[in-house]
Amino acid sequence: MTHSLVCAETVSRVSSVLNRNTRQFGKKHLFDQNEETCWNSDQGPSQWVTLEFPQLIRVSQLQIQFQGGFSSRRGCLEGSQGSQAFRKIVDFYPEDNNSLQISCTCFWGGWSVPLEVLDSPKPEWEPR
């Protein structure tokens, strides 16, 4: 069973917030476990989320969920360690639906994530 590594010391950053309305659409809703809320980005060529963990982590899976109709054709998972520059780990191709999409090293659901050790993963995607 997997569990989230996001903790109180994890720093998150997002590309944008819809209409700069952080109360209704801010990044705090990314991990609040409430199905009634969500982070919502503003329009742009790409959207992204960066997480900075207080320790190195082993990334073996990426879970992503879009609101219905607001998906992406292609995404890219990047990552870094410490002050290193972000580097591409894998491209991913999410489905256009609002179900939870999970990748793993065993290739399930159309895309896989190779096992990586880093402290800052950054998924990025292009809107449809």
Side-chain angles (χ1 to χ4, degrees):
M1 178 172 190
T2 62
H3 66 280
S4 176
L5 297 174
V6 176
C7 64
E9 292 82 31
T10 303
V11 176
S12 62
R13 292 183 173 84
V14 295
S15 54
S16 62
V17 175
L18 182 62
N19 299 326
R20 298 184 185 193
N21 185 344
T22 57
R23 175 174 282 177
Q24 187 173 2
F25 302 117
K27 65 183 180 180
K28 65 184 175 189
H29 299 301
L30 280 167
F31 306 106
D32 66 3
Q33 303 297 310
N34 182 345
E35 291 188 15
E36 300 298 316
T37 65
C38 66
W39 162 64
N40 200 330
S41 63
D42 228 336
Q43 293 183 357
S46 69
Q47 285 83 39
W48 51 262
V49 175
T50 300
L51 301 173
E52 295 175 13
F53 291 95
Q55 74 285 334
L56 289 176
I57 60 167
R58 296 184 79 151
V59 176
S60 60
Q61 185 179 86
L62 174 65
Q63 297 183 6
I64 192 165
Q65 184 173 18
F66 294 98
Q67 287 181 297
F70 298 95
S71 185
S72 167
R73 293 186 197 281
R74 186 188 74 82
C76 175
L77 177 62
E78 298 179 344
S80 71
Q81 283 187 18
S83 60
Q84 295 176 352
F86 282 97
R87 61 181 171 77
K88 183 167 96 170
I89 297 170
V90 66
D91 288 321
F92 60 91
Y93 302 91
E95 296 178 27
D96 188 8
N97 62 46
N98 64 343
S99 64
L100 181 62
Q101 299 178 54
I102 303 172
S103 71
C104 68
T105 54
C106 61
F107 193 80
W108 181 89
W111 40 283
S112 65
V113 172
L115 185 64
E116 291 284 336
V117 176
L118 43 89
D119 59 9
S120 293
K122 178 184 176 185
E124 182 173 353
W125 52 93
E126 302 165 356
R128 285 192 179 267

